[in-house]
Coordinates of all heavy atoms in Angstrom, one line a residue:
Q1 N 109.7 122.9 104.4 CA 110.6 123.9 104.6 C 112.0 123.5 104.1 O 112.9 123.3 104.9 CB 110.7 124.3 106.1 CG 109.4 125.0 106.6 CD 109.4 125.2 108.0 OE1 109.7 124.4 108.9 NE2 109.1 126.5 108.4
W2 N 112.1 123.4 102.8 CA 113.4 123.0 102.2 C 114.4 124.2 102.4 O 114.0 125.4 102.4 CB 113.3 122.7 100.7 CG 112.6 121.5 100.4 CD1 111.9 120.6 101.3 CD2 112.4 120.9 99.1 NE1 111.4 119.6 100.6 CE2 111.7 119.7 99.3 CE3 112.8 121.2 97.8 CZ2 111.3 118.9 98.2 CZ3 112.5 120.4 96.8 CH2 111.7 119.2 97.0
N3 N 115.7 123.8 102.5 CA 116.7 124.8 102.6 C 117.8 124.5 101.5 O 118.8 123.8 101.8 CB 117.3 124.8 104.0 CG 116.3 125.2 105.1 OD1 115.9 126.3 105.1 ND2 115.9 124.2 105.9
T4 N 117.6 125.0 100.3 CA 118.3 124.6 99.2 C 119.5 125.5 98.9 O 119.4 126.7 98.9 CB 117.4 124.6 97.9 OG1 116.2 123.8 98.2 CG2 118.1 124.0 96.7
N5 N 120.7 124.9 98.6 CA 121.9 125.7 98.2 C 122.6 125.1 97.0 O 123.7 125.6 96.7 CB 122.8 125.8 99.4 CG 122.5 126.9 100.3 OD1 122.2 126.7 101.5 ND2 122.5 128.1 99.9
A6 N 122.0 124.1 96.3 CA 122.6 123.6 95.2 C 121.6 123.1 94.2 O 120.5 122.6 94.6 CB 123.5 122.4 95.5
A7 N 121.8 123.3 92.9 CA 120.9 122.9 91.9 C 121.7 122.7 90.6 O 122.6 123.5 90.3 CB 119.7 123.9 91.7
T8 N 121.3 121.8 89.8 CA 121.9 121.7 88.4 C 120.8 121.1 87.5 O 120.0 120.3 87.9 CB 123.2 120.8 88.4 OG1 123.8 120.9 87.1 CG2 122.9 119.4 88.7
V9 N 120.8 121.5 86.3 CA 119.8 121.1 85.3 C 120.5 120.2 84.2 O 121.6 120.6 83.7 CB 119.2 122.3 84.6 CG1 118.2 121.9 83.5 CG2 118.4 123.1 85.7
A10 N 120.0 119.1 83.9 CA 120.6 118.2 82.9 C 119.5 117.1 82.5 O 118.6 116.9 83.2 CB 121.8 117.5 83.5
D11 N 119.7 116.5 81.3 CA 118.8 115.5 80.9 C 119.4 114.2 81.5 O 120.1 113.4 80.8 CB 118.8 115.4 79.4 CG 117.9 114.3 78.8 OD1 117.2 113.6 79.6 OD2 118.0 114.0 77.6
F12 N 119.1 113.9 82.8 CA 119.7 112.8 83.5 C 119.3 111.5 82.9 O 120.1 110.5 82.9 CB 119.4 112.9 85.0 CG 120.1 113.9 85.7 CD1 119.5 115.1 86.1 CD2 121.5 113.8 86.0 CE1 120.2 116.1 86.8 CE2 122.1 114.8 86.7 CZ 121.5 115.9 87.1
D13 N 118.1 111.3 82.4 CA 117.6 110.0 82.0 C 117.7 109.8 80.5 O 117.3 108.8 80.0 CB 116.2 109.7 82.5 CG 115.1 110.6 81.9 OD1 115.5 111.7 81.3 OD2 113.9 110.3 82.0
G14 N 118.2 110.8 79.8 CA 118.4 110.7 78.3 C 117.1 110.6 77.5 O 117.2 110.0 76.4
D15 N 116.1 111.2 77.9 CA 114.8 111.2 77.2 C 114.6 112.4 76.3 O 113.6 112.6 75.6 CB 113.6 111.0 78.1 CG 113.3 112.2 79.0 OD1 114.2 113.1 79.0 OD2 112.3 112.3 79.7
G16 N 115.6 113.3 76.3 CA 115.5 114.5 75.5 C 114.9 115.7 76.1 O 114.7 116.8 75.5
H17 N 114.6 115.6 77.4 CA 114.0 116.7 78.2 C 114.9 117.0 79.5 O 115.4 116.1 80.1 CB 112.6 116.4 78.6 CG 111.7 116.0 77.4 ND1 111.2 117.0 76.6 CD2 111.3 114.8 77.0 CE1 110.5 116.4 75.7 NE2 110.5 115.1 75.8
D18 N 115.0 118.3 79.8 CA 115.8 118.6 80.9 C 115.2 118.3 82.3 O 114.0 118.6 82.5 CB 116.1 120.1 80.9 CG 117.1 120.5 79.8 OD1 117.7 119.6 79.2 OD2 117.2 121.7 79.5
D19 N 116.0 117.7 83.1 CA 115.6 117.3 84.5 C 116.3 118.3 85.5 O 117.2 119.0 85.1 CB 115.9 115.9 84.8 CG 115.4 114.9 83.8 OD1 114.2 115.0 83.4 OD2 116.2 114.1 83.2
I20 N 115.9 118.2 86.7 CA 116.4 119.2 87.7 C 116.9 118.4 88.9 O 116.1 117.5 89.5 CB 115.4 120.2 88.1 CG1 114.9 121.0 86.9 CG2 115.9 121.1 89.2 CD1 113.7 121.9 87.2
F21 N 118.1 118.7 89.4 CA 118.6 118.2 90.7 C 118.5 119.3 91.7 O 119.0 120.4 91.4 CB 120.0 117.7 90.6 CG 120.7 117.4 91.9 CD1 120.4 116.2 92.6 CD2 121.5 118.4 92.5 CE1 121.0 116.0 93.8 CE2 122.0 118.1 93.8 CZ 121.8 116.9 94.4
I22 N 118.0 119.0 92.9 CA 117.9 119.9 94.0 C 118.7 119.4 95.2 O 118.3 118.3 95.7 CB 116.5 120.3 94.4 CG1 115.7 121.0 93.2 CG2 116.4 121.1 95.7 CD1 116.3 122.4 92.9
G23 N 119.7 120.1 95.7 CA 120.5 119.6 96.8 C 120.2 120.6 98.0 O 120.4 121.8 97.9
N24 N 119.7 120.0 99.1 CA 119.4 120.8 100.3 C 120.6 120.9 101.3 O 121.4 119.9 101.4 CB 118.1 120.3 100.9 CG 116.9 120.7 100.1 OD1 116.7 121.8 99.7 ND2 116.1 119.7 99.8
Y25 N 120.6 121.9 102.0 CA 121.7 122.1 103.0 C 121.2 121.7 104.4 O 121.4 120.6 104.8 CB 122.2 123.6 103.0 CG 123.4 123.8 103.8 CD1 124.7 123.4 103.4 CD2 123.4 124.5 105.0 CE1 125.8 123.6 104.1 CE2 124.5 124.8 105.7 CZ 125.8 124.3 105.3 OH 126.9 124.6 106.0
F26 N 120.5 122.5 105.1 CA 119.8 122.1 106.4 C 118.7 121.2 106.0 O 118.1 121.2 105.0 CB 119.3 123.3 107.1 CG 120.3 124.3 107.7 CD1 120.6 125.4 107.0 CD2 120.9 124.0 108.9 CE1 121.5 126.3 107.6 CE2 121.8 124.9 109.4 CZ 122.1 126.0 108.8
E27 N 118.4 120.3 107.0 CA 117.2 119.5 106.9 C 116.0 120.4 106.9 O 116.0 121.6 107.3 CB 117.0 118.6 108.1 CG 117.8 117.2 107.9 CD 117.4 116.2 109.0 OE1 117.1 116.6 110.1 OE2 117.5 115.0 108.7
D28 N 114.8 119.9 106.4 CA 113.6 120.7 106.5 C 113.4 121.2 107.9 O 113.2 120.4 108.8 CB 112.4 119.8 106.1 CG 112.5 119.3 104.6 OD1 113.6 119.5 104.0 OD2 111.5 118.7 104.2
S29 N 113.4 122.5 108.1 CA 113.3 123.1 109.4 C 113.1 124.6 109.3 O 113.5 125.2 108.3 CB 114.6 122.8 110.2 OG 115.8 123.2 109.5
P30 N 112.6 125.2 110.4 CA 112.3 126.6 110.4 C 113.6 127.5 110.7 O 113.7 128.2 111.7 CB 111.3 126.8 111.6 CG 111.7 125.7 112.5 CD 112.2 124.5 111.7
V31 N 114.6 127.4 109.8 CA 115.9 128.1 110.0 C 115.7 129.6 110.1 O 116.3 130.3 110.9 CB 116.8 127.8 108.8 CG1 118.1 128.6 108.9 CG2 117.2 126.3 108.8
L32 N 114.8 130.2 109.3 CA 114.6 131.6 109.2 C 113.4 132.1 109.9 O 112.8 133.2 109.6 CB 114.6 132.1 107.7 CG 115.8 131.8 106.9 CD1 115.7 132.3 105.5 CD2 117.1 132.4 107.6
D33 N 112.9 131.3 110.9 CA 111.7 131.8 111.7 C 112.1 132.2 113.1 O 112.4 131.4 114.0 CB 110.7 130.6 111.8 CG 109.4 131.0 112.4 OD1 109.3 132.1 112.9 OD2 108.4 130.3 112.2
P34 N 112.2 133.6 113.3 CA 112.6 134.1 114.6 C 111.6 134.0 115.7 O 111.9 134.2 116.9 CB 112.9 135.6 114.3 CG 111.9 135.9 113.1 CD 111.8 134.7 112.3
T35 N 110.4 133.5 115.4 CA 109.4 133.3 116.4 C 109.5 131.9 117.0 O 108.8 131.6 118.0 CB 108.0 133.5 115.9 OG1 107.7 132.4 114.9 CG2 107.9 134.8 115.2
V36 N 110.3 131.0 116.5 CA 110.4 129.6 116.9 C 111.8 129.4 117.6 O 112.8 129.9 117.2 CB 110.3 128.7 115.7 CG1 110.6 127.2 116.1 CG2 108.9 128.8 115.1
E37 N 111.7 128.6 118.7 CA 112.9 128.2 119.4 C 113.0 126.7 119.2 O 112.2 125.9 119.8 CB 112.9 128.6 120.8 CG 114.2 128.2 121.6 CD 114.3 128.8 123.0 OE1 113.2 129.3 123.4 OE2 115.3 128.6 123.6
G38 N 114.0 126.2 118.5 CA 114.2 124.7 118.4 C 113.7 124.3 117.0 O 113.3 125.0 116.1
G39 N 113.7 122.9 116.9 CA 113.3 122.3 115.6 C 114.4 122.4 114.6 O 114.2 122.1 113.4
V40 N 115.6 122.8 115.0 CA 116.7 122.9 114.0 C 118.0 122.3 114.6 O 118.0 122.0 115.8 CB 117.1 124.4 113.7 CG1 115.9 125.1 113.0 CG2 117.4 125.2 115.0
H41 N 119.0 122.0 113.8 CA 120.2 121.5 114.3 C 121.3 121.8 113.3 O 121.1 122.3 112.3 CB 120.1 119.9 114.5 CG 119.9 119.2 113.2 ND1 118.7 118.6 112.9 CD2 120.7 118.9 112.1 CE1 118.8 118.0 111.7 NE2 120.0 118.2 111.2
M42 N 122.6 121.5 113.8 CA 123.7 121.7 112.9 C 124.3 120.4 112.5 O 123.7 119.3 112.8 CB 124.8 122.5 113.7 CG 124.4 123.9 114.0 SD 124.0 125.0 112.6 CE 125.6 125.3 112.0
N43 N 125.4 120.3 111.8 CA 126.0 119.1 111.4 C 126.5 118.3 112.6 O 126.9 118.8 113.6 CB 127.2 119.4 110.5 CG 128.1 120.5 111.0 OD1 127.7 121.6 111.2 ND2 129.3 120.1 111.3
H44 N 126.3 116.9 112.5 CA 126.7 116.1 113.6 C 128.2 115.7 113.5 O 128.7 114.9 114.3 CB 125.8 114.9 113.7 CG 125.8 114.0 112.6 ND1 124.8 113.0 112.4 CD2 126.6 113.9 111.5 CE1 125.0 112.4 111.2 NE2 126.1 112.9 110.7
S45 N 128.9 116.2 112.5 CA 130.3 115.9 112.3 C 131.0 117.0 111.4 O 130.3 117.5 110.5 CB 130.5 114.5 111.7 OG 131.9 114.3 111.4
M46 N 132.2 117.3 111.6 CA 132.9 118.2 110.7 C 133.4 117.4 109.4 O 133.8 118.1 108.5 CB 134.1 118.8 111.4 CG 133.8 120.0 112.3 SD 133.3 121.4 111.2 CE 132.9 122.6 112.5

């Protein structure tokens, strides 16, 4: 259950082919599951 809000495409290793970076926001968790209570958290610092 990835929660992705950032991505960029680039040839990071210089082999001539495009690679993909995926940056996730929340940890893997049921953020959008209204049948579940718990298993989620917020940031532990501002």
Side-chain angles (χ1 to χ4, degrees):
Q1 293 176 309
W2 290 7
N3 297 291
T4 308
N5 276 117
T8 188
V9 175
D11 179 8
F12 286 106
D13 67 344
D15 67 350
H17 305 281
D18 289 347
D19 310 306
I20 300 171
F21 167 82
I22 294 294
N24 289 311
Y25 190 72
F26 290 100
E27 274 191 332
D28 299 8
S29 55
V31 173
L32 299 181
D33 191 344
T35 68
V36 173
E37 183 174 7
V40 295
H41 63 252
M42 298 298 288
N43 47 296
H44 60 197
S45 170
M46 279 289 180

